[in-house]
Amino acid sequence: MTHSASSDLFTRAQQVTPSGVNSPVRAFGSVGGTPPFITSASGAMLHDADGREFVDLVGSWGPMILGHANEQVVEAVQEAAGRGLSFGAPQPGEVSLVEEVVRRVRPLEQVRLVNSGTEATMSALRVARAATGRDVIVKFAGSYHGHVDALLAEAGSGVATFAMPGSAGVTEATARDTVVVPYGDREAVSALFAERGSEIAAVITEAAPANMGVVPPQEVDGIGFNRFLAETAHAAGALMISDEVLTGFRASAEGYYGIDGEGWAPDLMTFGKVIGGGLPVGAFGGRAELMGLLAPAGPVYQAGTLSGNPLATAAGLATFAGLDEAAYETIAAASTRLQQLVGDALSAAGVPHVIQTAGTLFSVFFRDAPVGSYTDAKAQDTEAFTRFFNSLLEAGIYLPPSAFEAWFVSTAHTDAVLDRIAEALPAAAKAAAGAAS
Ligand SMILES: *Cc1c(COP(=O)(O)O)cnc(C)c1O
């Protein structure tokens, strides 16, 4: 890239931070070029250090569901900041935030707050292992649950993007306790439980996988995949953990459970992203009997200096306050229109693609057949995506910089904002097709 404020910052960053970024996908490794360094954001727009403006379709990977710098959220955080940044003692906002989460999500009786989705899934595994006295965790290829050692085997997202088999630095002993199954493969799940059921502590699944692109769980004979997993786990005395870090409070007001949660319940659930409205919050919860295993009452240790931080709970509460029925309708309408625009542009340019949804979440795969598993997802034309991405970026549209990510819209993605995307799409679709635009 030519000389720019962002390229100067990237050069400086690379001296003092590995690859210049604090989370891998931000390095633009799979799409090339220099990542714009963002200096401010408002509504659906990002502004970078070079004064460029972008329509944002990342939304900080989910949290910014009310748009950037939402007035009510910012005010709530400012007001909280004036009362002190951290107490290391209980504070009222924690109670209110957890009450709100428990009120929204039927299976939850008790919830503990942490600082990230990774902490949430890590802690949920610990509870599951303690509750069952077993070690083995079952996960699905292409699912991402944060950078927990035990859950990095064949993870999607950044790991898929960089085509790493798992991660260096994870011990063999840890890897041995994780079994990876192809997503959606009921026969493989049943066979695994038949063979090793008595060793399995839990199966963990993204409520709707969205870190290999969006791959919604499928029904067979009226039984959804999540329900099937819960029933299979329970028959073997194991637990089912539903990871709603990404889908929670986005796929619907009750997360993905609000879409497929009839006649079954997960034992534990994990949250992050939206729950903190842009500040670092995660949460895990479930039945009181399981959550009661946590210290200090129970034997499972889990703690956090900044857990339940007053600024973070203020941001989460203000975000929930804005997430009424009308907000979800606005997001659904924006998501539907954007899918239509993208689909039309790619079809007009003859680019093979399939758009998959989970509630208002969606992603675009550059292949012509439905994607049901990570193997399918990897069979897409990532070079077509890269051309599409770079054309849109040049035109001021900021897509997730990977073909394996969901696209995120917010209540701030108005028709005028989507019109800007519509203008940029025909040229990007032509670029994806490989034609000169
Ligand atoms: C983002 C994500 C995580 C990890 O959350 P962090 O806050 O990044 O640690 C876990 N599970 C899912 C499904 C996610 O999308």
Side-chain angles (χ1 to χ4, degrees), residues 57 105 118 148 169 199 210 215-216 226 239 279 298-299 357 360 371 405 426 429:
L57 290 171
V105 187
T118 295
V148 181
E199 297 169 62
V215 180
N226 289 325
L239 303 186
L279 287 182
T357 62
T360 62
V371 171
E405 302 288 358

Side-chain angles (χ1 to χ4, degrees), residues 346-362:
L346 291 173
S347 295
V351 179
H353 67 280
V354 50
I355 296 176
Q356 298 193 172
T357 62
T360 62
L361 271 170
F362 74 98

Side-chain angles (χ1 to χ4, degrees), residues 36-278:
F37 277 61
I38 307 303
T39 49
S40 70
S42 168
M45 309 306 293
L46 296 173
H47 302 100
D48 80 355
D50 293 290
R52 293 184 299 173
E53 182 177 65
F54 302 94
V55 175
D56 183 21
L57 290 171
V58 178
S60 189
W61 304 98
M64 311 322 298
I65 193 165
L66 299 179
H68 293 282
N70 173 278
E71 214 174 302
Q72 282 76 34
V73 177
V74 170
E75 259 174 35
V77 172
Q78 284 171 336
E79 201 266 327
R83 286 185 276 111
L85 300 185
S86 179
F87 309 133
Q91 56 94 9
E94 297 168 275
V95 188
S96 303
L97 183 60
V98 168
E99 281 174 347
E100 176 72 25
V101 170
V102 168
R103 187 182 67 73
R104 280 179 180 244
V105 187
R106 285 165 288 161
L108 300 175
E109 290 175 359
Q110 293 200 336
V111 165
R112 189 167 268 183
L113 297 177
V114 292
N115 304 289
S116 68
T118 295
E119 267 188 76
T121 58
M122 177 184 77
S123 306
L125 294 192
R126 193 176 303 140
V127 169
R129 283 169 162 159
T132 56
R134 301 172 180 179
D135 293 343
V136 173
I137 301 294
V138 180
K139 77 170 288 273
F140 294 96
S143 290
Y144 180 68
H145 303 289
H147 64 100
V148 181
D149 278 6
L151 296 175
L152 275 178
E154 288 195 57
S157 205
V159 180
T161 306
F162 298 110
M164 296 192 291
S167 169
V170 173
T171 67
E172 264 176 52
T174 298
R176 261 201 307 277
D177 285 335
T178 305
V179 181
V180 182
V181 178
Y183 188 72
D185 189 339
R186 296 186 191 212
E187 278 175 29
V189 172
S190 296
L192 176 63
F193 272 91
E195 196 190 319
R196 299 186 64 185
S198 65
E199 297 169 62
I200 296 171
V203 55
I204 183 168
T205 186
E206 286 185 59
N211 285 286
M212 52 176 150
V214 174
V215 180
Q218 299 294 316
E219 276 195 3
V220 175
D221 299 331
I223 307 288
F225 188 59
N226 289 325
R227 176 177 180 167
F228 163 81
L229 291 178
E231 288 174 355
T232 304
H234 294 162
L239 303 186
M240 191 273 200
I241 304 172
S242 182
D243 181 353
E244 293 241 25
V245 170
L246 198 151
T247 49
F249 318 112
R250 176 174 285 274
S252 83
E254 199 187 9
Y256 204 77
Y257 190 74
I259 292 173
D260 77 351
E262 219 44 76
W264 69 281
D267 300 285
L268 293 166
M269 301 176 85
T270 55
F271 302 93
K273 301 195 167 105
V274 169
I275 200 177

